[in-house]
Amino acid sequence: DAGITQSPRHKVTETGTPVTLRCHQTENHRYMYWYRQDPGHGLRLIHYSYGVKDTDKGEVSDGYSVSRSKTEDFLLTLESATSSQTSVYFCAISELAGGGEQYFGPGTRLTVT
Amino acid sequence: QQPVQSPQAVILREGEDAVINCSSSKALYSVHWYRQKHGEAPVFLMILLKGGEQKGHEKISASFNEKKQQSSLYLTASQLSYSGTYFCGTRAINNAGNMLTFGGGTRLMVKP
């Protein structure tokens, strides 16, 4: 299995509070992604990174920001959490652009009350 | 725009066959298939490239019709372990970011 971890695995937070999710990889893959998964919507890309300090928006980026200061870490921040951001968040990595074969982390279940 | 998967759900008996379809409104460079078991992360199955061959993985194979921008996943002689949700991810030719867009998923349940 690809070495990819996410923390925390579960989090409950209140509306309006900031939240940061962490993705850590030991594979030295260049590309990292944050997805959210909601029933009926499959996986939707929030942000992705193509290198240290190089990031770009995905299809559902509003309300989220990311940072990548090291190859192995990709952080997703919800500046002011809302109930609509209750979801399961997956981080993924790949060696190649265009997705290639993506390896997914175990996911973080976030509940915003 | 998300690719459309059909059917949304299917129930099979062990040993039966199933086909899952993925259709896009955009010209595609590649189609990627993943399987996700309940409570777990998605796992890569295969990639089909424009101009490429049909791929196979155990008793699971897939095709890519470039003219119709459609892909089909074929599961033959299904096993209990095939149960899960199948997602197609598409990479459009004119996608500057070269990222994948996933369909809504097809839930497959294989019963003994």
Side-chain angles (χ1 to χ4, degrees):
Chain A
D1 291 342
I4 176 169
T5 57
Q6 293 183 229
S7 59
R9 294 293 312 281
H10 302 272
K11 186 170 183 65
V12 179
T13 191
E14 293 183 348
T15 298
T17 60
V19 177
T20 296
L21 308 182
R22 180 182 184 235
C23 177
H24 178 78
Q25 62 148 329
T26 58
E27 304 297 321
N28 202 35
H29 284 356
R30 178 180 176 185
Y31 298 89
M32 300 185 75
Y33 315 84
W34 276 109
Y35 292 93
R36 60 176 291 172
Q37 184 172 43
D38 305 289
H41 290 279
L43 295 152
R44 292 183 291 175
L45 183 65
I46 305 171
H47 282 280
Y48 65 97
S49 170
Y50 47 96
V52 173
K53 298 187 179 179
D54 291 324
T55 65
D56 206 348
K57 297 179 179 180
E59 59 183 302
V60 290
S61 60
D62 287 348
Y64 302 94
S65 63
V66 290
S67 65
R68 191 173 179 194
S69 59
K70 298 185 290 185
T71 299
E72 58 266 35
D73 291 324
F74 192 33
L75 303 180
L76 176 70
T77 298
L78 290 68
E79 302 292 346
S80 177
T82 66
S83 58
S84 64
Q85 293 175 313
T86 292
S87 186
V88 178
Y89 291 86
F90 285 100
C91 175
I93 61 175
S94 69
E95 283 189 282
L96 303 175
E101 178 176 345
Q102 293 190 14
Y103 301 94
F104 284 81
T108 294
R109 182 172 295 276
L110 176 68
T111 302
V112 183
T113 61
Chain B
Q1 190 172 1
Q2 275 188 307
V4 177
Q5 290 186 232
S6 63
Q8 289 187 314
V10 59
I11 300 174
L12 299 174
R13 291 289 179 186
E14 215 173 353
E16 293 180 339
D17 302 339
V19 179
I20 299 172
N21 300 301
C22 175
S23 180
S24 176
S25 59
K26 300 182 178 181
L28 300 178
Y29 176 79
S30 62
V31 180
H32 307 230
W33 286 96
Y34 287 78
R35 177 171 62 202
Q36 183 180 30
K37 293 186 178 291
H38 183 70
E40 299 181 6
V43 174
F44 172 79
L45 291 176
M46 65 188 78
I47 293 176
L48 298 105
L49 302 175
K50 185 177 184 303
E53 300 175 353
Q54 180 168 335
K55 295 263 188 173
H57 174 79
E58 297 177 342
K59 293 182 180 178
I60 301 174
S61 62
S63 63
F64 178 20
N65 185 324
E66 299 168 33
K67 291 184 179 180
K68 294 185 176 181
Q69 309 307 327
Q70 292 176 347
S71 177
S72 294
L73 186 70
Y74 306 96
L75 299 96
T76 58
S78 59
Q79 306 168 14
L80 295 177
S81 62
Y82 288 0
S83 292
T85 301
Y86 290 78
F87 294 98
C88 68
T90 57
R91 179 183 167 193
I93 289 176
N94 295 325
N95 181 347
N98 293 321
M99 293 303 109
L100 291 181
T101 302
F102 285 92
T106 295
R107 294 184 64 181
L108 177 74
M109 180 182 294
V110 181
K111 295 186 173 182

